[in-house]
């Protein structure tokens, strides 16, 4: 149940995944491997920057566009596999927000970032949500869970989710046909009219079917530009560095990693293998509810 494919550069797949447990069940996990087939943490071991000039970023795809299952990096489990979120004892599926089907972008996160819940953001006045920073990839391809893609950042939306700052980075895959003409948030408005307005509507309403209030936004729901977004990303990268070196309190977050050798949480390849192989192998998927 192993696949390699995400993040192909120079004809070679850099990362692969291995499924454990039964898909669409609470036990299902998607673990990550590097090009040598060694188990790694997507949260901690995949570099944030995909190029030396810090203009291209690696994105971990958690949820493909048009799908509903709320898949996410398990920040509180060793090696941080992707799992399906559980709320009130049931697997979580986001509702369809009319007229959309599921998520309206490929949704995921940037590795090696962390929104510190002890840091109050001077822009929003709220603390971080204790997760890697979220990314909405607006390219034309429907991606796969666990895919690692290289993206360029276009802008950011400041969601206030139940009193926490929850930045939503807008990005596009560098290999997308439209990437050559979309460089900043204003280009999205020009070449994909209505997409940003739909994004604000979606984030405002997506929890309402679960009996939650509408979400709020900083900056009156206006998108900030690429330069602003890159500075936010870099700040969350610094918070992540502090987390990995015990200079910040991550609470129950698991910092187990294989590649950050100066981190006190770095473990051996054998320890990582034992973590994954302690779980049951992949089985046939459960039926959709």
């Amino acid at each position: 149940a192993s696949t390699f494919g995400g993040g192909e550069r120079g004809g070679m797949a850099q990362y692969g995944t291995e499924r454990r447990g039964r898909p669409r069940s609470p036990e299902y996990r998607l673990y990550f491997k590097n090009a040598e087939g060694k188990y790694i943490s997507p949260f901690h071991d995949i570099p944030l920057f995909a190029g030396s000039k810090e203009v291209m970023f690696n994105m971990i795809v958690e949820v493909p566009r048009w799908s509903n299952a709320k898949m996410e990096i398990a920040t509180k489990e060793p090696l941080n596999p992707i799992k399906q979120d559980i709320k009130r004892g049931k697997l979580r599926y986001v509702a369809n927000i009319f007229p959309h089907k599921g998520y309206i972008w490929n949704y995921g996160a940037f590795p090696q970032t962390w929104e510190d819940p002890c840091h109050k953001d001077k822009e929003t006045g709220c603390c971080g949500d204790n997760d890697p920073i979220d990314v909405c990839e607006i390219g034309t391809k429907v991606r796969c869970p666990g895919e690692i893609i290289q993206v360029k950042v276009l802008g950011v939306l400041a969601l206030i989710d139940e009193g926490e700052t929850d930045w939503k980075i807008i990005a596009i895959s560098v290999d997308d046909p439209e990437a050559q003409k979309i460089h900043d948030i204003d280009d999205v408005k020009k070449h994909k009219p209505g997409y940003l307005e739909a994004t604000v509507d979606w984030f405002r309403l997506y929890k309402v079917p679960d009996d939650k209030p509408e979400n709020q936004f900083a900056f009156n729901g206006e998108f900030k530009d690429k330069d602003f977004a890159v500075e936010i990303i870099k700040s969350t990268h610094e918070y992540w560095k502090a987390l990995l070196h015990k200079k910040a309190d991550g609470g129950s977050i698991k910092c187990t990693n294989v590649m950050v050798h100066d981190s006190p949480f770095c473990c051996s390849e054998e320890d990582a293998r034992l973590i994954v192989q302690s779980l049951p192998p992949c089985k046939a998927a459960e039926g959709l509810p």
Side-chain angles (χ1 to χ4, degrees):
S2 295
T3 59
F4 269 81
E8 294 191 5
R9 311 291 296 172
M12 176 178 159
Q14 290 183 314
Y15 302 103
T17 55
E18 180 173 315
R19 297 180 294 167
R20 308 292 291 192
R22 191 184 300 275
R24 296 198 286 269
S25 79
E27 294 76 35
Y28 177 72
R29 297 292 185 272
L30 188 66
Y31 284 93
F32 286 72
K33 297 177 177 180
N34 64 12
E36 290 78 44
K38 298 168 183 173
Y39 295 109
I40 60 170
S41 159
F43 187 1
H44 306 304
D45 290 322
I46 295 173
L48 169 61
F49 299 107
S52 59
K53 296 181 180 178
E54 297 190 357
V55 294
M56 195 163 66
F57 299 84
N58 284 313
M59 173 189 173
I60 304 158
V61 178
E62 296 167 312
V63 186
R65 189 170 66 238
W66 311 139
S67 64
N68 298 74
K70 179 70 172 78
M71 309 300 292
E72 61 184 20
I73 293 169
T75 59
K76 298 176 182 179
E77 296 182 15
L79 295 185
N80 316 112
I82 288 178
K83 69 178 182 67
Q84 189 166 355
D85 190 23
I86 294 178
K87 284 288 169 72
R88 300 170 188 164
K90 293 184 178 181
L91 293 171
R92 185 177 169 195
Y93 295 87
V94 301
N96 295 319
I97 303 301
F98 183 84
H100 309 294
K101 169 69 173 73
Y103 286 74
I104 64 174
W105 349 255
N106 296 300
Y107 191 70
F110 280 147
Q112 298 188 340
T113 63
W114 179 54
E115 296 192 56
D116 186 348
C118 296
H119 172 77
K120 181 178 283 190
D121 187 88
K122 66 179 186 295
E123 303 283 356
T124 67
C126 297
C127 294
D129 71 348
N130 205 30
D131 282 325
I133 198 165
D134 296 321
V135 189
C136 304
E137 193 277 321
I138 64 171
T140 51
K141 282 186 182 179
V142 175
R143 301 290 180 165
C144 300
E147 208 174 336
I148 309 299
I149 60 175
Q150 286 72 50
V151 302
K152 61 180 181 180
V153 168
L154 305 171
V156 64
L157 179 68
L159 177 68
I160 307 299
D161 188 349
E162 299 181 34
E164 297 175 330
T165 302
D166 192 1
W167 297 104
K168 305 296 181 183
I169 300 292
I170 307 300
I172 189 166
S173 173
V174 295
D175 65 3
D176 191 86
E178 293 188 290
Q180 295 178 353
K181 59 185 179 183
I182 299 179
H183 306 288
D184 210 326
I185 202 71
D186 287 337
D187 294 329
V188 182
K189 297 172 186 175
K190 178 180 178 181
H191 295 289
K192 292 180 176 284
Y195 208 164
L196 297 180
E197 292 84 352
T199 294
V200 172
D201 286 344
W202 196 94
F203 278 122
R204 187 175 71 248
L205 298 172
Y206 84 105
K207 288 190 175 182
V208 172
D210 296 326
D211 300 321
K212 297 279 185 71
E214 290 186 4
N215 280 323
Q216 305 297 314
F217 303 92
F219 314 117
N220 296 315
E222 291 293 318
F223 288 82
K224 292 294 189 177
D225 65 12
K226 169 185 174 178
D227 291 342
F228 186 100
V230 169
E231 289 307 310
I232 294 296
I233 294 164
K234 288 181 177 179
S235 70
T236 62
H237 184 50
E238 293 303 315
Y239 299 141
W240 169 82
K241 287 180 184 178
L243 176 70
L244 262 281
H245 293 88
K246 286 190 173 181
K247 294 178 181 177
D249 181 11
S252 55
I253 284 184
K254 288 291 188 287
C255 298
T256 310
N257 69 84
V258 180
M259 308 297 290
V260 188
H261 299 300
D262 60 346
S263 164
F265 301 102
C266 191
C267 74
S268 69
E269 295 169 14
E270 177 63 13
D271 287 340
R273 187 184 66 82
L274 291 172
I275 289 169
V276 178
Q277 296 192 348
S278 67
L279 277 80
C282 186
K283 302 176 182 177
E286 297 276 0
L288 275 170

